[in-house]
Amino acid sequence: RQKEEQARLEKEHQKQLEIEKKEQERQQREIERKEKEEELAKQKAEQQRQLAEEKAKRELELKAKQEERTRQKAEKERFRQDELSRKERERSEHETKLAEEKTFRKKVADAFSNAKSLYAAGKYQEAITAFNEVLQLDPNYTKAKDYIQRSQNKIENASLEQDRKQKNEEERLEKERQKELERQEKERQRQLKR
């Protein structure tokens, strides 16, 4: 009977050991499950962190691209405005030049017209002065040079004509004087014959 009791106790002890073993295994599985869950949670957290980093990186890249596009657009607009300003400035300068050229040409034409009027009126010396004023405005105005030459020729011709007329007049007066002397001589001869 003592053996039976011992065997029963042994059996119960074995059962208790099995229960404890099973409990330990259950606890071990629970620990492993928790560790797995923690590991999964860590992995999930890491994935979320990586996703968040990637999202932030993409957002930064997108923002940088948008800023670059905005900068390029602003640069293009600035260049376009500069180009418009430059063209407007060139157009304005060209118009000013044309206006100045027109005013200058009118001034030259008026001066030339005035000089021609003096030439036409026979005021050749004044005309030469006026044509020289035209040449001071525009040294390449060949018509003014031509009219200066014509005026000088007219003055020379007039001087020659004046000399010729004076000479003719002197010759005429000399002839008349000679005639008068001859007449006086004849008169004196006639007086002597009486």
Side-chain angles (χ1 to χ4, degrees):
R1 196 166 181 168
Q2 194 176 354
K3 270 188 178 180
E4 284 177 6
E5 186 61 26
Q6 197 174 350
R8 189 184 63 76
L9 285 170
E10 184 66 31
K11 200 173 183 181
E12 281 180 5
H13 179 67
Q14 283 296 324
K15 267 186 181 178
Q16 187 64 34
L17 283 173
E18 281 177 18
I19 287 167
E20 285 175 2
K21 188 180 177 188
K22 280 181 181 176
E23 181 59 25
Q24 281 178 352
E25 285 173 354
R26 189 190 67 74
Q27 285 177 354
Q28 184 62 34
R29 281 197 303 274
E30 184 65 22
I31 288 166
E32 286 174 358
R33 186 186 66 76
K34 281 184 179 177
E35 284 177 350
K36 222 176 214 180
E37 281 178 358
E38 284 175 2
E39 183 62 31
L40 284 169
K42 276 183 184 175
Q43 285 176 358
K44 193 175 179 182
E46 181 61 23
Q47 282 175 348
Q48 285 175 343
R49 188 188 64 75
Q50 286 177 352
L51 285 170
E53 278 184 0
E54 284 175 11
K55 187 181 176 184
K57 188 179 175 183
R58 278 198 304 274
E59 283 175 354
L60 279 172
E61 285 173 355
L62 184 64
K63 189 180 176 185
K65 280 180 183 176
Q66 284 173 340
E67 285 174 354
E68 180 61 19
R69 275 199 296 271
T70 303
R71 189 191 65 75
Q72 285 177 352
K73 192 176 176 183
E75 182 70 19
K76 278 182 183 176
E77 180 60 21
R78 189 183 62 76
F79 179 77
R80 192 181 71 80
Q81 289 295 336
D82 286 351
E83 194 64 15
L84 283 173
S85 296
R86 185 184 64 78
K87 283 181 180 174
E88 179 59 27
R89 195 168 54 250
E90 283 178 357
R91 187 188 65 76
S92 177
E93 285 172 0
H94 181 66
E95 284 179 359
T96 304
K97 264 187 182 175
L98 285 176
E100 286 173 355
E101 181 70 16
K102 191 176 177 182
T103 304
F104 173 73
R105 285 288 147 214
K106 187 178 183 315
K107 191 175 179 182
V108 171
D110 289 349
F112 183 73
S113 177
N114 176 54
K116 262 182 84 175
S117 297
L118 290 168
Y119 177 84
K123 299 176 180 178
Y124 303 118
Q125 197 57 53
E126 289 177 47
I128 288 170
T129 304
F131 285 122
N132 276 319
E133 285 172 8
V134 173
L135 288 175
Q136 281 177 353
L137 291 171
D138 183 359
N140 298 318
Y141 206 103
T142 51
K143 284 185 178 179
K145 293 177 183 176
D146 291 344
Y147 270 95
I148 287 172
Q149 188 60 52
R150 288 186 197 180
S151 298
Q152 287 171 341
N153 290 342
K154 291 277 186 185
I155 289 168
E156 284 174 17
N157 289 340
S159 178
L160 289 171
E161 182 65 21
Q162 185 67 29
D163 288 350
R164 189 182 63 75
K165 279 181 181 177
Q166 191 176 348
K167 190 177 177 184
N168 286 345
E169 182 63 18
E170 285 172 359
E171 285 175 355
R172 187 185 67 77
L173 289 170
E174 180 62 27
K175 279 179 183 175
E176 283 181 3
R177 195 176 66 79
Q178 286 294 331
K179 275 182 183 177
E180 182 60 26
L181 285 172
E182 284 174 6
R183 190 188 64 75
Q184 286 175 0
E185 181 63 27
K186 280 179 182 177
E187 184 62 30
R188 193 177 62 81
Q189 292 290 337
R190 198 165 57 84
Q191 292 276 341
L192 285 172
K193 281 181 181 176
R194 285 183 187 176

